[in-house]
Amino acid sequence: MIDETNLPKHIAIIMDGNGRWAKLKGKNRVFGHRNGTEAVHKVVEAAARMQIEHLTLYAFSTENWNRPQQEVSTLMDLLIRALRRELNKMVKNNIQLKSIGDISKLPTEVEKELIDTINKTRDNDGMILTLALNYGARQELTQAMQQIASKVKNNIISPENVDETIINKHLYTQNLPSVDLLIRTSGEQRISNFLLWQIAYAELYFSEVLWPDFNEKHFEEAITSYQKRERRFGKTSEQLIS
Ligand code: FPP
């Protein structure tokens, strides 16, 4: 049973295993991504219903451009269609859409649809759903450092004042809280350049389930596992009790 008084405020998911799921069924990778979109739909609905405040999904990394051209264009196409299809449901479920990553490098049509959906959901004050698109944590940190260095050079910030708050303000995630629970599906146990700064104290949960099969039950299992853990943030158990 989920304890509603101890929900992770921010859940991030590395949705992995679409390709292997399709291969197991004797189909091509595109079939896996299409079914992966259905899993996105289920998990977003479940998270909104459970009143999770922030859900962040790794939809397309800076490294994903290296995939075969046809797979990249299918992913972009699926994204446009999902945005169009889900808009009404996002409005109905009071979900606000955001994105992180350099979206200016996405195909124009995707960027346009994304900005349009973000604008149409901007007054919703329920769950914040953030899509990581053309996102890479090293790229995010590099551009933050460049901006801060430039402000230091122009005497807008002094070097001694560069602290965690200033760094946070220069990240794509500037208005998001730190990640509490990071889920990765498909049995892989790595971070793959996702939210490196923001997961400093996240609980990690690795599921064997391939993403297209991941459903509400698996999502609840991840939250239940999170709720059994003791988050110490560097302190001792005894300190937490007192
Ligand atoms: C990883 O599986 C998945 C991706 C790189 C893309 C995730 C995209 C979706 C779930 C569909 C569209 C997204 C939204 C937000 C509507 P993989 O291809 O790396 O699988 P493999 O490791 O088994 O090859």
Side-chain angles (χ1 to χ4, degrees), residues 99-212:
S99 74
I100 51 173
D102 182 2
I103 63 167
S104 71
K105 304 266 164 35
L106 296 173
T108 321
E109 210 191 337
V110 180
E111 189 193 3
K112 201 175 144 291
E113 197 69 38
L114 185 66
I115 294 175
D116 197 39
T117 316
I118 289 173
N119 287 337
K120 286 183 176 146
T121 61
R122 70 157 20 114
D123 294 328
N124 293 348
D125 60 1
M127 184 173 84
I128 294 180
L129 170 63
T130 304
L131 296 183
L133 287 164
N134 190 22
Y135 174 88
R138 287 185 173 178
Q139 188 269 343
E140 176 183 42
L141 289 163
T142 305
Q143 64 81 33
M145 286 180 208
Q146 283 171 351
Q147 286 182 41
I148 294 169
S150 156
K151 288 183 185 171
V152 168
K153 186 175 161 216
N154 294 313
N155 296 320
I156 299 169
I157 308 175
S158 63
E160 342 41 281
N161 286 343
V162 176
D163 59 6
E164 289 190 16
T165 308
I166 295 221
I167 294 170
N168 271 323
K169 276 194 190 141
H170 291 84
L171 299 175
Y172 294 126
T173 52
Q174 52 183 280
N175 297 314
L176 303 182
S178 293
V179 175
D180 297 304
L181 171 62
L182 174 71
I183 301 172
R184 181 172 190 145
T185 59
S186 89
E188 305 291 355
Q189 303 199 352
R190 52 178 177 267
I191 304 300
S192 300
N193 203 15
F194 193 37
L195 301 172
L196 295 180
W197 171 273
Q198 300 84 346
I199 60 165
Y201 282 101
E203 296 296 329
L204 308 182
Y205 182 85
F206 298 106
S207 165
E208 291 296 319
V209 177
L210 300 173
W211 178 253

Side-chain angles (χ1 to χ4, degrees), residues 29-30 33 59-81 105-107 110 133-134:
R29 300 178 55 80
V30 167
H33 294 313
F60 195 84
S61 74
T62 44
E63 289 73 33
N64 284 151
W65 296 110
N66 298 322
R67 292 190 173 203
Q69 175 56 39
Q70 202 237 335
E71 183 172 343
V72 171
S73 50
T74 302
L75 279 167
M76 295 299 151
D77 194 44
L78 280 175
L79 191 68
I80 294 184
R81 285 194 218 190
K105 304 266 164 35
L106 296 173
V110 180
L133 287 164
N134 190 22

